Amino acid sequence: MYADRKGWELGPVHVDVTFLREQDVERIERTIKLAPTLTAEQRTRLAEIAEKTPVTKTLKRSIAITTVLV
């Protein structure tokens, strides 16, 4: 939605999410793959937006989420 509002040609987006449990510690590893046509500034902004989604905010109350942008 954000990229659309900005008029950015987003291209394909792929998100891999892995839920990990080590003893009593749970965490999520998230990898976001964006099109190489986006500028560094656009990629950075989209990563910031991903951290502010309602789902991410809710999950971060009780579980660590690590995000990698590629």
Side-chain angles (χ1 to χ4, degrees):
M1 287 177 19
Y2 182 83
D4 190 47
R5 272 200 327 262
K6 292 292 189 176
W8 296 348
E9 185 61 40
L10 192 56
V13 175
H14 185 82
V15 179
D16 288 314
V17 178
T18 303
F19 177 81
L20 302 161
R21 180 180 294 144
E22 297 166 356
Q23 307 221 9
D24 290 338
V25 178
E26 298 175 338
R27 63 188 172 93
I28 294 173
E29 291 180 353
R30 172 174 61 182
T31 303
I32 302 172
K33 298 176 186 175
L34 299 172
T37 56
L38 295 170
T39 68
E41 293 81 16
Q42 289 171 323
R43 297 168 66 80
T44 298
R45 186 64 183 135
L46 290 170
E48 292 169 356
I49 296 297
E51 292 298 316
K52 296 178 181 180
T53 66
V55 171
T56 298
K57 285 182 174 183
T58 299
L59 289 173
K60 280 191 164 187
R61 291 182 197 156
S62 62
I63 192 167
I65 299 175
T66 304
T67 302
V68 176
L69 188 67
V70 293

